Amino acid sequence: MDAVLEQYYHLESIILENHPGVDMSRIRATFDFARNAHGTQMRKDGTEFITHPLAAAEIVAEIGLDEDSICAALLHDCIEDTDVTFEDIKKKFGQDVADIVDGVTKLSRVTYTSKEEEQMENLRKMLIAMAKDIRVILIKIADRLHNMRTMEYVAAEKQREKALETMEMYAPIAHRLGMQKVKWELEDLSIKYLDPIGCKEITDGLKLRHVEDESFFQRVQTKITERLSAHGIECAVNGRIKHLYSIYRKMYGENKVLSEVLDLYAFRVIVNDIVDCYNVLGYIHEMYRPIPGAFKDYIGNPKPNMYQSLHTTVIGNEGLPFEVQIRTWEMHQTAEYGIAAHWKYKEGKGGKVADEEKFAWVRRLLESQQDSDAQDFLHALKVDMFADEVFVFTPNGDVVNLPAGSTPIDFAYNIHSEVGNRMTGAIVNGRIVPYNHILKNGDIVKIHTSNAAKGPSRDWLDIIRSSEARNKIRQWFKKEKREENVIHGKLSFEAELRHENISLTDALSEEVVTKLLLRTSFHSLDDLYAAIGYGGVSAKKIVNRVKDFIKTAEKTKKKEALPAQNPEKKEAPKSKPVLGVTVEGLDNCLVKFAKCCSPVPGDPVIGFITKGFGVSVHRQDCVNYVKYDKSSEDVGRWIRVGWANTDEHNYMTSIQALIRDRKGIVVDIASVLNTLNVRISSFNTRDIGDGKVFVTIDVGVKDRDELVLAMAKIMSVPGVMDVRRADG
Ligand code: MN
């Protein structure tokens, strides 16, 4: 019989042992199909290629995976290395098998380079997330295990590369899935390639004391077995040297020689039930002196990967310390096979495992989380089943972890807010994609940026998925809300001018503006306004400069601006508000708002005692207040007023806008106000020629902020050239 067939029958025997229910004719058909597909391909060691998938299938059957997994293991290299397609497999062996093979193929394509620990963790998570079905990962681990076992004929450089990848990726994954036995073997195989000399030192050292060690194991084993049997406890006891890599870590991590590594020996006692575990612990402590603090109860507190056992370290009669692990048979299964033990256990009882049950197991795994590190990992494990995360690559191979449904914009902001703000395009897997492109696991994403980029658009907020991007875009708008800042700034500037009794015409004469921009190094008046609006520079400071420029320019036009009193500088005293206005010293007096300047809450205001019509409220920058005749007897009629904290009123005021006439512009302005819920009471247009129209809009607003927002919105309507408040 040929060697390959012999290996196949060995696989059958493993399956029969572990899964009596498996349809062997299906396994045989899969094997024949795979062997045929791989044809004359050979492995580096000179054997027929099919021996590799066969060996992977053996491992998969040994760790106890189901029939579909065994078939998928046999076919796992078909899509990648032969003419066989996903469809072929689906047609012949069903959707499940095809999906698993497809998953393994995709994982094999993930490029790996050694990274810092944080990146490695992301890469591990990504592998699991990509796998979707945990069986894919398990088959991938089996694949890697067999490749590591047969690396002898592979080129030295490749050996080290694969060994490092195994050490950093697959062993930790096996560990997290609780597959201790596989993890140890992967580590031991890897370290042999990574540090052959260091390993040889250990194996040579162990060889020297082999005979001695064997008799030590024998003595302790017999002693424990006899004592436990005497108490009627059925048990299996065996001793072993700890695995190579754990000794290696102790020696090189703690800088010791082999003879200094004390806990080289471990004994395992397996019993039938949990009560016996604790009984055994008692007897062991009776027989040997326990090392204080070395006892760990992983039965009461299972490890995140479901590992359960009692651990204790004791001093043997020869003065040698050794560890004893005590567990039940069921715990033993879980310790050896981890997540895979689930299939083994269930299938033994016959029948296929339903999906919900599979997930229930994972859920239990999740619920038993204790450390956050493992929680993160299992979150990723959960993710592949419930898909709420996506893992993509930067062009230099770093893994970026985003919420599922993320777009290149999310990616860009994850890299840096400046990358997001200056983004001009995205390339995924070498192709230009639209901004709303949904990223998939394993995508390589590249972002184009430009210093001339306009910054984020409001539409982006509807596309993005991550809160990180959302926050950064919002931050940007807050900072870059230029239009609103310009209007705010312009209002303060103009108010300050009135205050100083400077006319707008004087202040904005070409000569003054040129000088001003030159000295303040702003590019335009709007830039200056924006800076005032944003608080970058004070209106007072700018107006002082303007004042100086005007003075030097037209010395003759020097003006005196000294009001008889400065009521606005003192705070208005409290009195009962009327229409939201408090009047100094007067309760319940008649209040009306001056039509000339239509103040709204938030505006600095001043009152004028009218003859017979109560107090009329003006803005402090109202022309009628700023320019009243200080020598007249009216001086005493100005009175301090203030705003009470109330927003129950709707205040009428006017907005003026200069627009370049176009079709629909009035509707656009109205609809902008409408979305802000600003009430429009009248809308007047006046054609001033040259295609320009002067618009006056009477609106009702809550306060100055609402008004400024409304003005900014109007300013953003295409065709609007200027927006200001009516000031009589
Ligand atoms: Mn393979």
Side-chain angles (χ1 to χ4, degrees):
M1 190 167 56
D2 81 44
V4 170
L5 266 185
E6 217 167 290
Q7 193 188 347
Y8 171 73
Y9 289 127
H10 183 241
L11 169 65
E12 279 199 352
S13 71
I14 294 171
I15 296 172
L16 279 173
E17 202 178 299
N18 287 282
H19 318 262
V22 162
D23 174 2
M24 207 59 88
S25 63
R26 185 168 178 238
I27 302 288
R28 177 66 199 236
T30 316
F31 162 69
D32 288 338
F33 178 88
R35 188 179 189 182
N36 186 46
H38 285 292
T40 55
Q41 289 169 5
M42 300 292 255
R43 303 199 82 217
K44 288 256 161 43
D45 60 7
T47 58
E48 215 180 293
F49 188 86
I50 189 68
T51 57
H52 165 64
L54 259 177
E58 282 174 340
I59 296 167
V60 164
E62 252 163 49
I63 63 176
L65 293 192
D66 59 2
E67 187 179 310
D68 279 348
S69 306
I70 299 167
C71 292
L74 284 168
L75 297 165
H76 83 265
D77 279 322
C78 276
I79 294 183
E80 189 73 6
D81 296 340
T82 77
D83 297 335
V84 172
T85 65
F86 175 86
E87 288 304 324
D88 296 338
I89 295 177
K90 188 175 149 189
K91 212 156 67 193
K92 263 197 117 66
F93 304 104
Q95 181 83 44
D96 277 9
V97 174
D99 281 343
I100 297 173
V101 175
D102 189 48
V104 177
T105 308
K106 280 182 179 142
L107 285 197
S108 309
R109 288 178 188 155
V110 171
T111 44
Y112 162 90
T113 40
S114 187
K115 303 272 180 202
E116 289 127 48
E117 184 46 37
E118 193 194 343
Q119 273 295 315
M120 284 309 306
E121 185 58 23
N122 270 334
L123 211 55
R124 282 176 218 134
K125 282 183 188 173
M126 184 178 75
L127 271 197
I128 295 191
M130 275 180 79
K132 291 200 183 82
D133 185 328
I134 200 71
R135 288 174 295 180
V136 169
I137 281 283
L138 297 174
I139 292 169
K140 185 66 202 162
I141 289 173
D143 171 44
R144 176 50 58 99
L145 182 56
H146 182 247
N147 282 334
M148 287 302 295
R149 281 177 184 167
T150 54
M151 273 230 296
E152 244 179 296
Y153 298 98
V154 173
E157 198 184 327
K158 194 98 183 159
Q159 284 176 341
R160 280 192 300 272
E161 201 179 286
K162 290 285 163 197
L164 190 61
E165 186 180 34
T166 303
M167 193 63 114
E168 293 191 322
M169 292 279 299
Y170 292 99
I173 289 176
H175 172 66
R176 291 302 209 8
L177 295 176
M179 308 164 78
Q180 229 180 76
K181 209 171 150 188
V182 171
K183 174 211 168 200
W184 285 346
E185 194 180 345
L186 288 173
E187 285 176 345
D188 286 1
L189 287 165
S190 301
I191 196 65
K192 277 178 191 153
Y193 291 105
L194 294 173
D195 184 1
I197 297 167
C199 285
K200 193 165 184 300
E201 194 184 333
I202 297 172
T203 43
D204 286 353
L206 290 176
K207 245 179 237 158
L208 281 179
R209 41 196 279 181
H210 180 69
V211 178
E212 208 181 306
D213 285 345
E214 277 306 305
S215 77
F216 172 72
F217 285 136
Q218 213 49 60
R219 282 197 305 280
V220 174
Q221 225 161 288
T222 312
K223 205 175 157 193
I224 294 177
T225 314
E226 278 172 2
R227 172 67 71 99
L228 296 182
S229 307
H231 286 93
I233 296 174
E234 226 178 273
C235 64
V237 182
N238 61 69
R240 61 185 172 87
I241 298 274
K242 286 196 169 170
H243 79 287
L244 177 67
Y245 184 59
S246 80
I247 299 170
Y248 180 92
R249 263 203 326 250
K250 286 228 160 73
M251 281 176 65
Y252 296 96
E254 297 165 26
N255 204 17
K256 287 174 176 169
V257 295
L258 190 60
S259 60
E260 287 174 313
V261 178
L262 288 177
D263 47 351
L264 275 180
Y265 310 98
F267 288 84
R268 194 171 284 153
V269 182
I270 306 174
V271 294
N272 292 328
D273 55 48
I274 291 182
V275 179
D276 276 349
C277 291
Y278 290 96
N279 285 335
V280 169
L281 179 75
Y283 295 129
I284 300 279
H285 283 179
E286 250 172 48
M287 295 161 72
Y288 303 102
R289 191 160 50 84
I291 293 179
F295 167 65
K296 291 186 193 92
D297 181 358
Y298 294 122
I299 291 180
N301 303 295
K303 285 191 184 181
N305 61 16
M306 291 300 271
Y307 177 85
Q308 285 187 298
S309 279
L310 299 177
H311 287 192
T312 186
T313 305
V314 296
I315 311 272
N317 298 338
E318 291 89 345
L320 273 178
F322 58 88
E323 188 182 66
V324 183
Q325 302 171 350
I326 307 158
R327 55 174 74 146
T328 65
W329 286 104
E330 201 183 330
M331 292 172 193
H332 183 59
Q333 285 283 314
T334 305
E336 300 270 281
Y337 300 110
I339 195 166
H342 166 69
W343 278 274
K344 195 169 183 135
Y345 192 64
K346 289 279 178 189
E347 284 230 327
K349 289 175 181 167
K352 274 190 140 193
V353 189
D355 268 4
E356 310 90 86
E357 281 181 78
K358 245 180 258 170
F359 293 144
W361 203 89
V362 174
R363 212 164 293 131
R364 273 212 304 286
L365 208 75
L366 285 166
E367 281 159 5
S368 68
Q369 293 325 297
Q370 276 145 12
D371 58 50
S372 65
D373 174 45
Q375 195 137 21
D376 280 347
F377 169 80
L378 282 149
H379 182 60
L381 186 81
K382 188 192 86 167
V383 160
D384 50 339
M385 301 186 175
F386 312 121
D388 56 11
E389 264 182 292
V390 61
F391 299 85
V392 297
F393 285 112
T394 66
N396 51 28
D398 284 344
V399 178
V400 172
N401 179 351
L402 298 164
S406 283
T407 64
I409 303 174
D410 293 287
F411 175 87
Y413 278 101
N414 182 285
I415 301 296
H416 197 278
S417 51
E418 275 311 296
V419 176
N421 290 338
R422 293 190 294 141
M423 173 174 182
T424 55
I427 292 189
V428 171
N429 302 330
R431 268 192 212 155
I432 296 176
V433 296
Y435 282 12
N436 62 359
H437 177 87
I438 306 288
L439 298 175
K440 291 193 302 298
N441 278 317
D443 278 350
I444 301 169
V445 188
K446 190 171 180 233
I447 300 296
H448 281 305
T449 60
S450 155
N451 286 331
K454 282 184 180 156
S457 127
R458 282 181 197 278
D459 306 340
W460 292 12
L461 291 169
D462 301 329
I463 301 172
I464 52 162
R465 246 329 176 26
S466 59
S467 49
E468 191 180 10
R470 189 168 306 277
N471 290 338
K472 285 177 175 172
I473 293 173
R474 285 206 177 129
Q475 227 168 40
W476 187 89
F477 276 118
K478 198 170 158 193
K479 246 192 177 163
E480 312 276 327
K481 259 190 187 168
R482 190 178 147 84
E483 287 160 2
E484 264 179 55
N485 290 335
V486 167
I487 298 212
H488 259 295
K490 194 173 167 203
L491 284 174
S492 327
F493 178 71
E494 288 174 2
E496 192 62 33
L497 283 177
R498 284 194 201 93
H499 227 78
E500 296 290 342
N501 219 356
I502 300 169
S503 80
L504 215 55
T505 337
D506 288 347
L508 297 183
S509 73
E510 211 184 311
E511 197 191 340
V512 171
V513 169
T514 312
K515 269 191 187 169
L516 184 65
L517 294 182
L518 201 67
R519 288 282 287 278
T520 52
S521 28
F522 286 104
H523 291 292
S524 68
L525 259 185
D526 274 1
D527 283 354
L528 175 69
Y529 291 150
I532 296 173
Y534 186 51
V537 55
S538 85
K540 199 167 181 62
K541 216 169 164 180
I542 297 295
V543 168
N544 280 340
R545 287 215 163 150
V546 168
K547 217 157 88 180
D548 290 345
F549 296 145
I550 295 174
K551 260 186 207 161
T552 49
E554 311 173 11
K555 277 180 185 158
T556 48
K557 270 201 170 178
K558 201 174 163 192
K559 282 186 182 174
E560 205 61 59
L562 260 181
Q565 51 179 175
N566 273 335
E568 68 272 19
K569 294 222 168 125
K570 289 168 231 152
E571 205 194 328
K574 297 271 168 294
S575 68
K576 231 179 181 169
V578 177
L579 296 176
V581 173
T582 54
V583 179
E584 180 190 40
L586 296 171
D587 277 350
N588 295 321
C589 75
L590 190 62
V591 164
K592 61 174 191 166
F593 297 100
K595 285 272 178 290
C596 50
C597 56
S598 320
V600 297
D603 287 331
V605 282
I606 188 83
F608 183 78
I609 302 167
T610 64
K611 287 176 178 152
F613 295 97
V615 173
S616 143
V617 180
H618 292 257
R619 271 152 52 190
Q620 286 182 15
D621 59 7
C622 176
V623 142
N624 289 323
Y625 171 58
V626 174
K627 292 204 168 162
Y628 79 94
D629 185 354
K630 272 102 198 167
S631 63
S632 83
E633 55 173 23
D634 286 349
V635 169
R637 296 170 68 186
W638 291 100
I639 186 170
R640 274 179 284 168
V641 297
W643 297 104
N645 284 329
T646 160
D647 52 15
E648 28 191 282
H649 303 284
N650 198 36
Y651 296 90
M652 298 308 296
T653 190
S654 294
I655 299 171
Q656 295 175 337
L658 184 63
I659 62 176
R660 199 177 294 284
D661 201 15
R662 64 164 171 85
K663 203 169 165 227
I665 189 166
V666 169
V667 176
D668 287 351
I669 292 173
S671 82
V672 146
L673 292 174
N674 196 39
T675 52
L676 288 175
N677 265 329
V678 168
R679 201 158 57 83
I680 304 170
S681 66
S682 82
F683 204 113
N684 293 302
T685 57
R686 181 158 53 92
D687 198 331
I688 57 170
D690 205 15
K692 288 175 194 163
V693 174
F694 193 76
V695 184
T696 306
I697 313 156
D698 290 333
V699 294
V701 296
K702 195 170 75 154
D703 56 20
R704 185 180 160 101
D705 283 349
E706 194 173 279
L707 177 66
V708 167
L709 184 65
M711 290 167 70
K713 289 281 183 184
I714 294 171
M715 192 66 197
S716 69
V717 173
V720 174
M721 296 157 69
D722 191 23
V723 177
R724 60 171 64 206
R725 285 178 76 173
D727 50 23

